[in-house]
Amino acid sequence: MENESHESKIDVRIIVSGLDIAQLVSKAVNNIHLENDYNIVVSSIIPTVELSIVKKVASGADILLIGGYGSDETYNILFNELKTDFNHIGLFDYNNIIVEDESIDFKLAEKEILNSIIKSTLSYSLNLINVHTLENKLMKVTHNYNNLLDDYNQVLKENEVLSQENNELMEDIKELKSDFNAFKLRYEDIYSKEILEIFSLDDLWQETFRQDLLDGDRIVIATDKFKPDDILVGQGFIASQSKEKAIEWLKIIRTALIFVDDNAGDLKKESGIGEEENIPEDKDDYDMSNTFENFWD
């Protein structure tokens, strides 16, 4: 029979050990009408078991039937050489077609060929189902792989963006550290200085003595003369380590001023009557420089 390609039909090829059996098989195949009844085509009957020839002729078959006396050595050799993931190999057993006088029974041959082909076809169909199942699984795996690959590429892009942002943040951190170190260096001795609180001289005088301050310049002059520790007065303000110390100093100044005002005549006599004193005529003659301007110098 000619070796043809039959689309959508199962391609069967039968390997036998000689021309006499090949002729018998060909006649039996024609009688059982495989193509019409079962959609099966026996495309080749190979009358030799020579491996090099068989491999060429059998290539591409869906089902291969190997003629032999059971699973003998020849069958095993051909099976191992011809079996692939895409075909099925069955046995065309001579033992089932030989009668007692060792002649071949034609009817038994037809039956054996049909049974062997049907049996192999069923196995082949099951194998196809498994192949299709594997193909479907492979398609799903491929689809999932492609999705994962897309996700991976997306992660790579996002990682590049995050890496760039991280580098920018690191630069910002370096700049902040530099600014902080400069700030720290500039003000590292701030805790070694005594910080003074500043109060309004008029408000503190009013709060302490319940009267308006009429002559703040005299307080400035007195403070400048006595130079008490941690007390500064000027420009309408008084600076001290605490409000209590500022009030304490104002009380001292007020007491002194009251004493001077009440005893002005006696003080002049005791200091020498008629003696001219170089009493400043104007407050500008006193050292009333801005005490606060250079406090931190």
Side-chain angles (χ1 to χ4, degrees):
M1 299 181 66
E2 295 181 356
N3 185 6
E4 300 175 349
S5 175
H6 301 271
E7 293 184 2
S8 73
K9 298 181 184 296
I10 298 176
D11 182 6
V12 178
R13 301 175 196 180
I14 304 174
I15 303 168
V16 293
S17 56
L19 287 174
D20 53 343
I21 298 180
Q23 292 174 354
L24 176 65
V25 169
S26 178
K27 186 176 179 181
V29 167
N30 290 332
N31 286 341
I32 55 181
H33 307 293
L34 291 171
E35 184 173 1
N36 292 332
D37 295 341
Y38 302 101
N39 205 33
I40 296 172
V41 175
V42 178
S43 61
S44 295
I45 299 174
I46 307 167
T48 180
V49 291
E50 179 64 35
L51 184 58
S52 59
I53 298 174
V54 170
K55 289 180 71 173
K56 291 180 181 179
V57 180
S59 177
D62 297 322
I63 296 174
L64 290 172
L65 290 181
I66 301 174
Y69 294 96
S71 298
D72 55 13
E73 182 179 359
T74 300
Y75 174 85
N76 291 330
I77 292 174
L78 292 176
F79 181 92
N80 292 331
E81 291 292 333
L82 301 176
K83 185 69 180 78
T84 69
D85 293 334
F86 304 100
N87 67 13
H88 181 80
I89 296 179
L91 174 64
F92 172 43
D93 196 345
Y94 296 158
N95 293 318
N96 295 330
I97 64 174
I98 296 176
V99 293
E100 293 180 357
D101 60 357
E102 296 186 358
S103 62
I104 297 176
D105 187 309
F106 182 73
K107 291 296 182 181
L108 291 177
E110 288 183 0
K111 182 179 180 181
E112 178 63 19
I113 290 172
L114 180 60
N115 289 340
S116 298
I117 290 176
I118 297 300
K119 182 179 179 181
S120 297
T121 301
L122 291 174
S123 297
Y124 174 74
S125 298
L126 292 174
N127 185 58
L128 280 181
I129 293 174
N130 292 333
V131 169
H132 290 320
T133 301
L134 290 175
E135 287 177 345
N136 290 333
K137 290 182 178 179
L138 179 60
M139 289 179 62
K140 290 181 180 179
V141 169
T142 302
H143 178 71
N144 291 336
Y145 170 78
N146 290 332
N147 288 338
L148 289 174
L149 186 60
D150 291 340
D151 293 342
Y152 173 73
N153 291 330
Q154 182 64 29
V155 169
L156 285 180
K157 292 180 181 179
E158 292 176 356
N159 183 63
E160 290 179 1
V161 174
L162 291 175
S163 179
Q164 179 64 29
E165 292 178 352
N166 181 66
N167 291 335
E168 293 175 358
L169 287 174
M170 293 301 295
E171 291 298 324
D172 292 342
I173 290 174
K174 288 181 180 179
E175 186 175 348
L176 287 173
K177 284 184 176 180
S178 177
D179 293 344
F180 175 75
N181 289 332
F183 178 84
K184 184 178 178 182
L185 182 64
R186 182 177 180 182
Y187 296 104
E188 62 182 355
D189 63 339
I190 191 170
Y191 293 106
S192 64
K193 295 185 177 182
E194 294 181 353
I195 307 301
L196 302 182
E197 296 185 62
I198 299 176
F199 308 95
S200 169
L201 187 58
D202 290 333
D203 293 344
L204 192 59
W205 187 276
Q206 176 66 37
E207 178 184 339
T208 304
F209 304 116
R210 298 292 187 272
Q211 59 182 228
D212 295 334
L213 178 61
L214 301 178
D215 194 357
D217 292 339
R218 297 176 69 190
I219 297 176
V220 174
I221 294 169
T223 303
D224 184 65
K225 289 296 183 180
F226 288 106
K227 293 182 172 54
D229 293 337
D230 301 323
I231 298 290
L232 298 173
V233 178
Q235 294 184 330
F237 294 94
I238 179 171
S240 175
Q241 290 182 346
S242 66
K243 185 176 182 180
E244 289 75 15
K245 288 192 175 183
I247 292 173
E248 181 181 350
W249 176 247
L250 291 181
K251 288 180 178 180
I252 293 173
I253 291 295
R254 183 171 180 270
T255 301
L257 291 177
I258 291 174
F259 177 80
V260 170
D261 291 342
D262 291 345
N263 299 279
D266 294 338
L267 290 173
K268 286 182 179 180
K269 291 179 181 180
E270 292 179 2
S271 62
I273 299 174
E275 293 183 2
E276 294 184 358
E277 297 182 3
N278 295 324
I279 300 174
E281 296 180 357
D282 192 271
K283 64 182 179 180
D284 292 335
D285 293 333
Y286 290 96
D287 183 10
M288 297 176 62
S289 60
N290 183 2
T291 314
F292 294 100
E293 288 182 355
N294 301 316
F295 174 64
W296 292 105
D297 294 341

